[in-house]
Every structure is written in structure tokens, then in C-alpha cells.
Amino acid sequence: MEQDKIVLTKNLSLLFVISFLYMFVGVHYGLSNHDEGAFAYGGARVFTGDVPYRDFWTFYPPGEFYLLACLFKIFGKSLMLIRLLSITLQSLIVVCVYFIAYRLTCKSKIAFIPAILSILYIPGPFAYGYYSHPIIPALLLSIFSCIVLVAGGKNILAGILVGGTVLFRHDIAFYVFFSQTIALFLFYKNISRFLKYFSGVLAIIIPVFLFFIVNVGFNELIYDLIVFPAKVYPKVRALSYPSITPVSDTLSGIIGNNAFAYSVISFLQYIPFYFPIIVYIFAIIQIVKDFKTKQHFSEEEIFFVLLTITGILFFNQARIRSDAQHLIPTIIPAIILSFIMIHNFLQKHNSKILNKATVFLVLPVIFLSFGFDSIKSKASYFARKTFKNNELMPLEFGVSKNIVVLKKIGTPILEAVNFIKNNTSANEKIFVCNTRHDKVFVTDMMFYFLSERNSATKYFDLHPGLATTLEIQRKIIDELEQFNVRYIIMWDKDSNIIEPNESSKSSNVVELDKFIATNYKRVKEYPPYIILSLTKNKK
């Protein structure tokens, strides 16, 4: 038994190192103006004492902003710091995957397969655009809570971890809480266990909730965290579930008119979207059979049921915006369950043909499919670094030290940010906007973080369904006038992206655009950035 613990510890440590090193490749390459910028700048705002929902708008829970603010307090503001945190948490997810797979099979070699697959898959959706995304700590905490609840029997600690998940993604936390509550009543039938578990959840969320009620207000807090994500977000961000996934423009340029290569690559990218559906169908069949034939369930069987319920519920959050990033919470339980079922099936039938088909056909296809995005991105980085290094340039700001981007992206950022830093004081507020605001897709929130200048408006995240409304546009105008904003940075990029949702439709609200056109003039252009200056001082 002691020897098994030593082996397990060594394997977990080895996997963490392998995962971290793989994910570290290219970690300093690229930049996301919108997603990464939102959390980096939000963390910077909390670092200076601002409170989410009161001082800046967001529909995300506060955990990520406060986590980043704490790191900034200790190490200083840095994009690289955010990314190192992210790949550390991602590697811990891989460790959890191995641990669960090992507990379900008691075979380290089998447990390595879903762990390695996770190493290949996770960096794909979580490329530089999502390094700071709160889904990462939320997923880690939720998986760890399942381990603690079933394998450790620590009800209060499991509840605390679910409470912690609420601080990063309250939808994920709800799904985990619901599935774990079912497991507690279904298998343990002990009300005291649930009360301990529930007390752990409340121990985290009650003081946090009270803090924000006092500092923000009940109605505003509920609208930002519950009403907007439930009613507005699905209308402006919904993406239908994909059929065959289209090949990117970059890959299309490489494969040219080769129809066979195009079909193969499309199919590989397509598999992850339907993989969890297939896995959960077979898992449900297995669970129904077990309930018909068994009176008592082992720890491994309880784990299997809990992962199935949790994974199916996680699938719901990928249903609205069906892309790789939102798919990953449901993919991770599916990866574990799939290899458990494959292992059990092969053991039961003990067929050489099935074993060879699995090893030489099924596994390679799954690995190629799940590792496609991360391998492609890392190969792209190596190719540019090795053969086209002259296309890369560093972002020479204090907060972006060691970050490199393509010159065509980095040059205008450097010019625009330096112009603002040279022509404004450190405490002067600016406004980063789009070329139009009756229709919005995303905006450049990274500019605030790189320039170390604060937004004049609470609504720096120009989100469709919010910044496109008359009420919010008038609030933005009031704030621009209140702070006598001298410079507006107009970001003329991604405005032509069309998605099959209401973000692609005009709200016909142009009050903000009229205000900008009337009161500001163009003084510099660094495409896609246009610097606008106030035509007259209103003080």
C-alpha cells in the first residue's frame, strides 16, 4: 500500500512536469485584445481598489479578478504572470484526471492515457486568448471537489471547493453542486453528510455575497450575474452546435485545393464536439444496467456516476456558445469515462482483434483529433521562431515583458500605446471604443492594460446587448463628459465579423457614435487604431 502511494505520487509529479513543459511552449507568443484583456485589466482595476459591478461592469463572478490582483500585489502586473498561473492550473487539471482514472482502474498505464490526452487537448481551447479565463480555476476546483467528496470523504472540504468554484464560474458551481447532491442522497443516504457539505458551500459564498450586497447593491448584482447571462447573453453570443468544422484560413492556404486533406482535417476538428455526446450515451446505458443488477455501489462506481452526471450538466453550458473553449468542461469528464469504458470492454471481451483495433485505429484518431489545435499552434510558433523569426517582435511595455507577437500586430499596438502614454498623465482616463456601437462584436480591453491608463467609463467591456442600448450609451457619454476625456482610441478590427446571433444586428442606437463624431477629431492613425482628440476643452 505504501509502495503504491509512492508510485502514485511520482506519477502525479511526472505528469505535472510534462504537462507544464508542453503548455509552456509558446506561452509568451500572441495576444488577445478582448478575452485576455478583459481579465488582465479587470485584475488591474481590483489591484487599485476598485470593486467589480460597482466600479466596472462584468457578468463574471469576482474570483478571477481578485486572484490576479493578489498576484499583481505580490509580483507586479504582468501578462506572463497570468499565463504562468494559467498553465499551472491547467497542469493540475491533468493531475486530477490521472488521479481519478487511476482510482477507477487501479492501473497506472491505463490512467496515463486520458491524462496525456488532456495534456494535448487543454492548450488548444486555452490558447493565449483564454489564458486568464476563469473557466480554468473553476474546472480545477470542481474536479478536485469530486475527488475530495468520493475518494476522501471530506464533505465540508468538498463543499468549500464548490463554494470556491462559485467565485469563478457560478454556472459550473451549480452543476457540480447539483450532481454531488444527487450522489450524496442516492448513494450515501445520510443527511448529516449533506449538511456538512452544504455548510462548506455556504461558508464561502455567504460572506462574499454579503460583501458585494453592501458594496454594490442587490439589484445590480443580480442583474449582472444572473439576469444578463440568462436573458441577454444567449441572444447576442449564441453559436449553434457545429456540423463539420470549417478549416481555418491558415490551413486552407497550406492544403490548397486538396479536397481529401480538407475533409480529413475537418473531421478531426469535428470529433471533440460529438465525442462527449457519444460517451455519455454509453455511460448512461452502463449506469442503468448497474442499477438494475446491483444493490450496493463501490467507490469506483459512485465516481463513474458522479462524473457522468457532472459531465452531462457541463454540456449544458456549451450548448449556448458551442465552441472549443466552452466545450472543455464537458470534455474532461468524457475523456476519463471513455477510457474507463474502453478498458472495461476490452477486459471483458479479451479479443486480440479489438485490442489491435483500439491501439492502432481508435486511439490514434482520438489523439490526433484532440491534440490537433494545440499541436498546430505550437508547430506554428516553432515554425515562426525558427524560419520566420523576423516576423516576430517583443511588446516593449513593462506589463508585457517577454511577450512576442507578429510585427503586423505589434507595431500598431506599440505606436498607439506609446502615443497615449506620451500624451497623457498616469491618472488621466481614456476611452477605447469601436468604429460603431449600434452593432458590437468585441472590443480591445487589452489596450487599457498595456497603456496602464484607466477607462473613463464603467462599461469598458463594450458587450453586445449592453453597449448597444440607449441607456448604457448615455451613461458612457455622461462619464466621458464628467472626466473630460481628451483621447479616445478607436479600434477598427473584428467589427465585420458576422455570427448567427443578434450581435450581428444593428440596435439602431447611434447616440454614442454621434457624440464622438461631434466632439472628437482624428489626430493619429495606426491601423487598426485611430486616435481621436477632444475638439475643445469642456472644463
Side-chain angles (χ1 to χ4, degrees), residues 21 44 91 178 224 235 517:
L21 291 175
S91 298
F178 186 79
D224 291 350
K235 295 178 182 179

Side-chain angles (χ1 to χ4, degrees), residues 137-153:
L139 183 58
L140 174 61
L141 289 170
S142 61
I143 295 174
F144 192 42
S145 70
C146 292
I147 293 173
V148 169
L149 184 69
V150 179

